[in-house]
Amino acid sequence: MSTAVSYNDQGGAEAAVEAGMESTPTSSSTGAAFGLFSTDFKKNEDLKEMLESNKESLKLEAMKRIVGLIAKGKNSSELFPAVVKNVASKNIELKKLVYVYLVRYAEEQQDLALLSISTFQRALKDPNQFIRASMLRVLSSFRVPIIVPIMMLAIKDAASDLSPYVRKTSAHAIQKLYSLDPDQKEHLIEVIEKLLKDKSTLVAGSVVMAFEEVCPDRIDLIHKNYRKLCNLLVDVEEWGQVVIISMLTRYARTQFVSPWKEGATFDENDEKSFYDSESEETKVHSEAKPYVMDPDHRLLLRNTKPLLQSRNTAVVMAVAQLYWHLAPKHEVGIVTKSLVRLLRSHREVQYIVLQNVATMSIQRKGMFEPFMKSFYVRSTDATHIKTLKLEILTNLANEANISTILREFQTYVKSQDKAFAAATIQAIGRCATNISEVTDTCLNGLVLLLSNRDETVVAESVVVIKKLLQTQPTQHSEIIKHMAKLFDNITVPMARASILWLMGEYCDRVPKIAPDVLRKMAKTFTTEDDLVKLQTVNLAAKLYLTNSKQTKLLTQYILNLGKYDQNYDIRDRTRFIRQLIVPSEKSGALYKYARRILLAPKPAPLLESAFKDRDRFQLGTLSHSLNSKVTGYQELSDWPDVAPDPTVRNVEIIEPVKEWAPMLGKVKKSKPVDKFYSDDEEEKENDGSESSGSEDSSSDSSEGSDSEEESSEESDKTSSDSEKSSSGSEKSSSESELEQKKKRTKKAPQKQNKTPAADSDSDENGNGPVAQESSSSPEISSSSETDSDDSDSDAPPKKSDVRSKPKVQVKSKQEVSLLDLDDFSPPPADIPKTAPAISSSLLSDLEGLSLSNVSSAMQVTAPSFGPVKTYELLHHMTGKGLSAKYHFPRQPCLYQPSMVAVQVILTNNSDHILEEIHVGDRSPASLNIHCFNTIERLEPEASVTVSMGIDFSDSTQAANFQLCTKEDRFGVSIQPAVGELLMPASMTQQDFSKEQGKLLGMNETSATVTMATANISSHAISKQVLSVANVGVVSSNQNNSHRFAGRTVSSGALVLVSLELKESAAALLTINTEKTVMASMLLRDLKQALAQV
């Protein structure tokens, strides 16, 4: 025995001791047996003796120990001869353990394994299904080309096995054989085609995996099995679901037309009713919209939807990418909650999910905007998770939520994670370029960051400021001067180079500072970084061309230093610049173009998301994660212009069809082979009736008759319910019976010509039909898939089909889902999702992102309580389908400090698209309004929130203006309550008393208020006051005194409110302000509010 083997053996002995296993004493020579490299130490001899024993119990114990060694990573290959002898044992447990061993070591010990090949073949006929499957697994583990024919025969036999477990194992063996001998592809495809027809959920995932490995381009094999795979999907094991969903995604992109076309809708009633005539059908189709979703396309979307609640994150991610690539745009939003739920998983899962969300959020911000708080950075997040969340928040930024996002960024900049802080500053720069309203605010905030102690923050701020200044350089010469003053304190090379570039690019705007900066650089040129040296040479050249009198000698000095620099790039640049700007005989005509070359206007850089181009890869793939095409990646094909023939997915029904003739009795349903689960609501939707049909099943088991009886009982029950809901009307009862008969007689021909279960709905788990009243999935509500949600049994079916379509976005209260948690629920439509303007804390923080001139004693602050009251601006009847509501978000206006911020929610209640929604003429003409940007188009049943700013000039006079669409104009009016004309101010109790002493006499208005209860809490009083006026609470140490302070938005006049509680329920309310008219109106409103306490 060699030394190396002895070492491994001792390692195995240690493992055996750790496991508490006793070993029989073996013969050994002297004390050398305990040496580390002893050749006499024969650890595995006892295991060999046990394997050669006549007792089955010893053999079984030995195999358990050996498998334990394998599990710990120990080498047990030398036991192969002793183990392989037991492959013919009659003990089933022993056989299983031997097969486990052989799977591990068969490839290493091929010659010895082949000696027992005949035994392996006999085991393939064993009565025990686990033995047959294990033996096939062992056989497919041999990487020996000589036994390929034997493996091929074994796989073919196993594919016809009665046990689904063995058939599943044969599907796994197909992939192993294909990797060993690709020439067997055609034979393996035959086996795959056979296994694809298998109805067992145990086999489906494995055979699709084999299909993806061997012949992913043979989509013709999927045609006949497409509907079966869709219906089986919910019951397949989790990893099989992932593989099937991925395959069906690629299949759907080749077989269906794009649902993203203009005006695309899914017509649930594309099949004609039993009594419809051919002429009526032709008329309906001629008037139909240009796109009708294929029923098979809808089947796939509907059957994958319940999997969004899977516990397996890979399944949820697979369904999300399927909806992203296949679903109509208005239905993709249903995956949002599920993806947000995955953010509670491990950081590895978070990383992949956030990468996909980052890509999705670029194209469709509205999907994730209601869940923006879920992407806020946590202190425990890793840097790569923080960076991805930052990316998503930047993608979601818009005019309405920019203040909230910038307030978050303000905190992130102070992070101890320097890489994250630098990424935050870059994100601020992107927000500034994407949203023009906050460009100046962000720029001023970044300038303040230049005084930060952290060099990384300062350097990144300089780089971002440089990019922002390129977009509008004419307005920011002061910022360039400020950066020049900070130049000596900045040490990061990239930041210093950026400042030098700005000096050279805009040297004409700072003619006195630029030469002085060049002078300083000449002193330290030799000690600077190479990047800084290059920019110094560029600065010298530009100043030589624009201000040669002052900088000629400096330029020559710097060019001489660069000529002998150690870096060849700097030497080359110096020689090039000298020939370009200094005229000589050698330079020739090039000198004439020096100014045009060096001082040419540079295009502004584009600050774009790093995930902008990742949508070229399929979501959830490794290629998407790495942003690079990896081996084995299969690209999604483009949608076909014309859909291929859908009849290729039809499966022939062997039983003759006899149900066309109307019958009064019960008709036995045929059992199509291509269906596993099928709901009866397709007939219910087509007929517009609430009576339920029976559930179909494709299995050939004896459960068919039972399900038939149960479904008939269910239909009788539902029918009786519909009779009760019609208030005992004989007409509706007869109609219900007629509809039932019609369904029964129409059932078989519809199955023959129509996609099975194409229009059915299933519950959250895919376990059968659900009542239409509780159908509330976003998929159905958004695409008008269920057209009889609101129809009563006494209404004609046709009318309910036509008129109920516009009713979208209806959320039923009966649906209970784990995803519908309070913290995930988006806010109601009449309440704004985010603040539309820059918050006051953002304006006041020195480390923040804007500048504030408010004194610390009376600083503008955010209210501690702000109830939102929504007012109607335009009724949908008056606005011809366009309705508008508005409210005051009580935030400083983004556009002008003297304006009051107003949020308007526009909703299209019509059935057609509204275009070019904008603000028209205003009255009076001098009214100062900042209008929202024109909304190019608003889809039916869609809503959009826009921000406006109105300068009411401290008056409650209404602001009248016109709300216009492309065709119409509607006069609207916004009248503010007097309390909305204020902004809260924070001050101390001493400052309050001091300012109140200045506003006495005519500036003081008071009244006695009688409250409903005597001992009222301070919280209740503050709540009532703040519900009326947007003021700030002044902290007080007196229990019977309450003080509030604010300023008028337009003029900034101070408004002080004090409430002194007297005996019983009386109180003295006092208002001090120069605006006496506002004081009297505010006093009246406060009295009414406090009287209700």
Side-chain angles (χ1 to χ4, degrees):
M1 187 181 294
S2 67
T3 306
V5 174
S6 298
Y7 181 74
N8 288 335
D9 289 343
Q10 184 166 0
E14 291 173 358
V17 171
E18 290 172 4
M21 300 178 182
E22 297 181 358
S23 57
T24 56
T26 55
S27 60
S28 61
S29 56
T30 58
F34 299 97
L36 183 61
F37 298 101
S38 171
T39 57
D40 298 326
F41 185 70
K42 301 178 180 179
K43 165 64 196 72
N44 290 329
E45 287 299 322
D46 60 332
L47 293 175
K48 290 180 181 178
E49 290 178 5
M50 293 172 71
L51 289 171
E52 293 171 357
S53 170
N54 294 328
K55 295 182 179 180
E56 293 289 336
S57 59
L58 288 177
K59 292 182 179 179
L60 190 60
E61 179 65 25
M63 285 308 304
K64 288 180 180 179
R65 293 187 188 183
I66 293 170
V67 172
L69 294 176
I70 295 174
K72 291 187 176 183
K74 306 299 181 181
N75 184 13
S76 305
S77 58
E78 65 171 11
L79 296 170
F80 193 92
V83 172
V84 81
K85 293 177 184 177
N86 293 282
V87 76
S89 173
K90 295 181 179 180
N91 188 310
I92 294 179
E93 288 189 25
L94 181 60
K95 267 189 177 182
K96 289 180 183 179
L97 293 175
V98 170
Y99 291 159
V100 171
Y101 180 91
L102 292 177
V103 169
R104 170 65 181 83
Y105 289 109
E107 190 170 350
E108 297 179 13
Q109 305 281 347
Q110 294 177 0
D111 295 337
L112 289 173
L114 289 177
L115 295 176
S116 304
I117 196 72
S118 59
T119 309
F120 298 161
Q121 289 180 285
R122 284 197 303 271
L124 291 172
K125 305 296 183 182
D126 195 278
N128 190 310
Q129 58 175 344
F130 296 107
I131 298 298
R132 297 198 301 273
S134 299
M135 196 63 258
L136 181 60
R137 193 179 297 115
V138 172
L139 196 60
S140 60
S141 300
F142 292 166
R143 312 293 297 170
V144 184
I146 195 171
I147 66 165
V148 166
I150 300 175
M151 289 174 61
M152 191 71 232
L153 288 173
I155 290 173
K156 286 184 177 180
D157 290 343
S160 305
D161 199 282
L162 293 177
S163 168
Y165 182 71
V166 178
R167 299 198 297 271
K168 175 188 177 74
T169 309
S170 71
H172 293 164
I174 288 174
Q175 305 167 55
K176 297 180 182 179
L177 180 55
Y178 179 70
S179 62
L180 178 63
D181 185 8
D183 294 337
Q184 301 292 326
K185 181 175 181 178
E186 293 303 321
H187 298 291
L188 292 175
I189 289 178
E190 294 176 6
V191 182
I192 291 174
E193 185 175 8
K194 181 178 181 179
L195 288 174
L196 279 171
K197 298 175 182 178
D198 201 304
K199 298 174 185 177
S200 172
T201 56
L202 199 63
V203 182
S206 301
V207 68
V208 171
M209 188 68 221
F211 170 83
E212 291 284 76
E213 285 287 330
V214 178
C215 52
D217 53 335
R218 287 288 304 274
I219 59 172
D220 56 292
L221 301 178
I222 305 298
H223 290 321
K224 299 291 184 183
N225 303 291
Y226 171 81
R227 295 169 186 166
K228 182 198 69 177
L229 288 173
C230 289
N231 290 320
L232 286 179
L233 191 56
V234 75
D235 290 324
V236 177
E237 47 94 18
E238 293 170 342
W239 296 110
Q241 289 174 344
V242 175
V243 176
I244 294 175
I245 291 172
S246 176
M247 184 273 293
L248 292 179
T249 303
R250 290 192 302 105
Y251 177 85
R253 286 293 287 257
T254 63
Q255 299 300 309
F256 308 127
V257 295
S258 172
W260 305 334
K261 294 181 179 178
E262 195 71 24
T265 56
F266 176 49
D267 187 2
E268 293 287 341
N269 303 306
D270 55 349
E271 298 289 336
K272 68 172 185 174
S273 300
F274 182 74
Y275 295 104
D276 285 351
S277 63
E278 294 293 336
S279 59
E280 288 178 353
E281 183 187 13
T282 308
K283 182 179 179 182
V284 169
H285 281 284
S286 63
E287 296 175 357
K289 293 187 177 181
Y291 169 81
V292 175
M293 180 178 281
D294 191 298
D296 286 333
H297 192 171
R298 172 59 64 194
L299 176 69
L300 175 59
L301 294 176
R302 185 175 58 251
N303 285 10
T304 52
K305 181 186 170 187
L307 298 180
L308 286 172
Q309 296 189 20
S310 173
R311 63 182 179 181
N312 189 304
T313 53
V315 175
V316 178
M317 193 64 244
V319 177
Q321 66 86 22
L322 179 138
Y323 264 81
W324 178 260
H325 292 297
L326 300 183
K329 292 185 177 180
H330 59 274
E331 294 183 30
V332 181
I334 68 171
V335 307
T336 309
K337 283 185 181 180
S338 302
L339 291 176
V340 171
R341 172 171 63 89
L342 298 185
L343 297 181
R344 298 177 176 179
S345 303
H346 305 293
R347 63 174 57 180
E348 295 82 6
V349 174
Q350 289 184 45
Y351 180 69
I352 298 300
V353 172
L354 288 171
Q355 279 190 325
N356 289 275
V357 171
T359 301
M360 298 164 82
S361 61
I362 293 175
Q363 297 184 21
R364 301 175 192 169
K365 296 183 180 181
M367 281 178 58
F368 297 97
E369 192 174 342
F371 306 97
M372 191 172 67
K373 290 185 179 179
S374 300
F375 302 106
Y376 285 175
V377 172
R378 301 174 185 270
S379 58
T380 54
D381 287 338
T383 302
H384 60 281
I385 300 294
K386 292 179 181 177
T387 309
L388 283 172
K389 287 186 174 180
L390 194 66
E391 177 74 28
I392 294 170
L393 287 175
T394 310
N395 292 341
L396 296 180
N398 57 32
E399 183 181 328
N401 60 27
I402 185 62
S403 68
T404 309
I405 290 178
L406 287 182
R407 191 162 58 245
E408 277 291 305
F409 287 176
Q410 166 185 319
T411 308
Y412 299 165
V413 168
K414 303 173 187 176
S415 172
Q416 297 299 318
D417 188 341
K418 303 309 174 190
F420 175 56
T424 302
I425 295 173
Q426 293 178 1
I428 294 171
R430 277 182 55 198
C431 291
T433 55
N434 295 338
I435 305 172
S436 57
E437 287 84 356
V438 296
T439 301
D440 292 339
T441 305
C442 292
L443 201 52
N444 292 335
L446 290 172
V447 171
L448 287 176
L449 291 178
L450 293 178
S451 57
N452 197 292
R453 296 179 181 178
D454 186 6
E455 290 184 359
T456 309
V457 173
V458 174
E460 204 64 42
S461 300
V462 170
V463 175
V464 174
I465 288 173
K466 165 184 169 281
K467 295 177 180 178
L468 292 179
L469 289 181
Q470 284 185 259
T471 59
Q472 39 186 351
T474 56
Q475 306 172 12
H476 301 293
S477 58
E478 291 299 324
I479 294 179
I480 299 176
K481 293 177 183 177
H482 181 66
M483 293 172 69
K485 294 177 184 178
L486 297 173
F487 183 76
D488 293 336
N489 299 326
I490 296 175
T491 57
V492 179
M494 187 63 187
R496 291 174 68 86
S498 296
I499 294 177
L500 291 174
W501 186 90
L502 281 173
M503 293 293 160
E505 187 68 16
Y506 308 115
C507 55
D508 54 334
R509 296 188 179 87
V510 283
K512 296 181 180 179
I513 296 178
D516 191 55
V517 172
L518 184 64
R519 177 184 61 80
K520 292 179 181 180
M521 288 306 303
K523 292 181 180 179
T524 60
F525 184 86
T526 54
T527 59
E528 294 288 348
D529 187 84
D530 292 342
L531 188 63
V532 181
K533 289 180 181 179
L534 288 173
Q535 291 302 329
T536 304
V537 173
N538 288 347
L539 174 61
K542 292 176 181 177
L543 288 176
Y544 182 85
L545 293 174
T546 57
N547 189 3
S548 59
K549 291 182 180 180
Q550 286 184 298
T551 58
K552 183 175 181 180
L553 294 176
L554 272 176
T555 302
Q556 290 179 355
Y557 176 69
I558 288 173
L559 291 179
N560 287 332
L561 289 176
K563 183 178 180 181
Y564 300 104
D565 195 88
Q566 293 181 354
N567 189 298
Y568 59 84
D569 284 336
I570 297 172
R571 297 197 300 270
D572 290 347
R573 176 70 64 87
T574 303
R575 294 190 185 98
F576 168 70
I577 293 294
R578 186 187 295 275
Q579 295 298 322
L580 185 62
I581 64 175
V582 181
S584 63
E585 296 178 358
K586 297 181 180 178
S587 60
L590 193 61
Y591 169 73
K592 300 177 183 179
Y593 302 100
R595 185 178 291 270
R596 293 173 61 182
I597 293 173
L598 291 174
L599 300 177
K602 315 295 191 301
L606 293 176
L607 300 178
E608 295 179 339
S609 170
F611 287 82
K612 186 176 182 181
D613 59 340
R614 289 205 187 190
D615 56 353
R616 69 181 189 273
F617 297 114
Q618 184 177 353
L619 293 185
T621 59
L622 181 61
S623 297
H624 176 270
S625 183
L626 300 178
N627 197 22
S628 175
K629 188 174 181 180
V630 298
T631 306
Y633 173 73
Q634 297 175 4
E635 293 185 357
L636 281 180
S637 59
D638 295 329
W639 295 99
D641 295 330
V642 179
D645 184 12
T647 59
V648 295
R649 290 184 289 278
N650 292 344
V651 179
E652 297 179 3
I653 300 176
I654 301 175
E655 294 182 8
V657 180
K658 299 179 181 179
E659 289 85 359
W660 271 106
M663 295 183 183
L664 297 177
K666 183 178 179 181
V667 180
K668 186 176 180 180
K669 287 88 182 171
S670 60
K671 300 176 182 177
V673 227
D674 62 326
K675 296 173 68 174
F676 186 78
Y677 291 122
S678 172
D679 303 329
D680 53 276
E681 291 187 358
E682 54 187 51
E683 289 81 19
K684 181 162 55 180
E685 289 170 1
N686 289 336
D687 296 337
S689 170
E690 289 187 5
S691 59
S692 303
S694 61
E695 180 177 345
D696 296 331
S697 172
S698 64
S699 67
D700 297 327
S701 65
S702 59
E703 294 176 2
S705 60
D706 296 339
S707 63
E708 192 175 300
E709 292 172 5
E710 291 173 4
S711 60
S712 64
E713 292 172 6
E714 183 183 347
S715 69
D716 295 338
K717 182 180 177 181
T718 314
S719 177
S720 63
D721 290 342
S722 65
E723 290 173 10
K724 291 177 183 179
S725 64
S726 61
S727 304
S729 169
E730 294 180 2
K731 179 181 178 182
S732 64
S733 175
S734 61
E735 284 179 358
S736 176
E737 293 174 3
L738 181 62
E739 294 295 329
Q740 248 184 338
K741 295 172 185 176
K742 191 192 301 182
K743 275 190 304 184
R744 291 173 178 172
T745 55
K746 198 174 82 174
K747 188 104 174 175
Q750 278 188 342
K751 288 181 195 169
Q752 191 175 12
N753 301 325
K754 185 176 177 182
T755 304
D759 302 320
S760 63
D761 292 327
S762 60
D763 61 5
E764 291 294 330
N765 299 317
N767 292 332
V770 291
Q772 290 210 7
E773 289 80 13
S774 65
S775 175
S776 60
S777 65
E779 169 204 340
I780 297 172
S781 61
S782 58
S783 64
S784 302
E785 180 181 331
T786 305
D787 293 338
S788 57
D789 285 348
D790 300 315
S791 62
D792 296 325
S793 51
D794 59 341
K798 283 294 175 185
K799 292 184 180 179
S800 65
D801 286 346
V802 175
R803 294 184 180 178
S804 62
K805 282 194 176 183
K807 298 181 180 179
V808 299
Q809 297 177 353
V810 178
K811 184 72 178 177
S812 172
K813 296 180 181 178
Q814 297 179 4
E815 182 178 0
V816 178
S817 171
L818 288 176
L819 299 181
D820 292 335
L821 300 174
D822 292 337
D823 55 344
F824 281 157
S825 299
D830 59 341
I831 296 179
K833 297 174 184 173
T834 50
I838 300 296
S839 72
S840 53
S841 62
L842 190 65
L843 296 169
S844 59
D845 198 326
L846 290 177
E847 286 290 330
L849 302 171
S850 69
L851 302 174
S852 175
N853 297 324
V854 185
S855 65
S856 59
M858 288 167 285
Q859 181 181 357
V860 176
T861 182
S864 57
F865 174 80
V868 177
K869 297 179 181 178
T870 304
Y871 309 90
E872 188 172 75
L873 184 64
L874 179 65
H875 193 270
H876 68 90
M877 297 296 292
T878 311
K880 299 182 180 179
L882 175 65
S883 67
K885 296 180 180 180
Y886 72 95
H887 62 269
F888 300 92
R890 294 191 173 184
Q891 294 286 350
C893 185
L894 180 68
Y895 316 107
Q896 199 171 318
S898 62
M899 288 184 173
V900 177
V902 182
Q903 267 198 347
V904 182
I905 302 170
L906 303 171
T907 306
N908 183 1
N909 294 294
S910 66
D911 55 355
H912 60 275
I913 297 173
L914 296 178
E915 298 181 343
E916 296 181 14
I917 303 174
H918 62 281
V919 174
D921 299 333
R922 60 201 73 176
S923 174
S926 59
L927 182 65
N928 187 9
I929 296 182
H930 186 283
C931 309
F932 56 86
N933 296 331
T934 301
I935 300 171
E936 297 298 333
R937 55 187 290 126
L938 189 61
E939 300 289 340
E941 301 303 321
S943 298
V944 64
T945 302
V946 294
S947 299
M948 297 179 63
I950 304 176
D951 189 352
F952 290 99
S953 301
D954 295 342
S955 167
T956 56
Q957 182 181 358
N960 302 310
F961 57 93
Q962 288 185 331
L963 197 58
C964 309
T965 62
K966 190 174 182 180
E967 297 84 13
D968 302 290
R969 292 173 175 265
F970 311 101
V972 294
S973 175
I974 294 180
Q975 182 161 10
V978 65
E980 303 297 343
L981 301 178
L982 306 176
M983 67 174 74
S986 65
M987 59 174 65
T988 62
Q989 186 175 346
Q990 292 77 11
D991 291 329
F992 184 95
S993 302
K994 181 180 177 181
E995 295 295 331
Q996 192 177 33
K998 299 177 184 178
L999 296 170
L1000 299 176
M1002 295 182 64
N1003 295 328
E1004 183 176 280
T1005 307
S1006 61
T1008 302
V1009 182
T1010 303
M1011 300 189 190
T1013 56
N1015 298 322
I1016 188 68
S1017 66
S1018 59
H1019 174 73
I1021 292 176
S1022 299
K1023 182 177 179 181
Q1024 289 298 104
V1025 173
L1026 294 177
S1027 67
V1028 172
N1030 184 20
V1031 291
V1033 181
V1034 178
S1035 59
S1036 173
N1037 52 13
Q1038 302 175 7
N1039 294 331
N1040 62 340
S1041 179
H1042 303 275
R1043 297 179 175 87
F1044 307 86
R1047 287 183 176 275
T1048 59
V1049 174
S1050 184
S1051 63
L1054 204 58
V1055 178
L1056 305 177
V1057 180
S1058 59
L1059 186 69
E1060 300 288 339
L1061 300 180
K1062 306 295 184 183
E1063 289 132 12
S1064 67
L1068 179 64
L1069 178 63
T1070 306
I1071 299 178
N1072 300 83
T1073 181
E1074 297 173 356
K1075 303 286 185 179
T1076 55
V1077 177
M1078 291 184 67
S1080 60
M1081 298 173 68
L1082 185 60
L1083 187 70
R1084 181 195 62 201
D1085 293 346
L1086 287 174
K1087 281 182 66 177
Q1088 293 177 358
L1090 292 172
Q1092 300 172 5
V1093 178

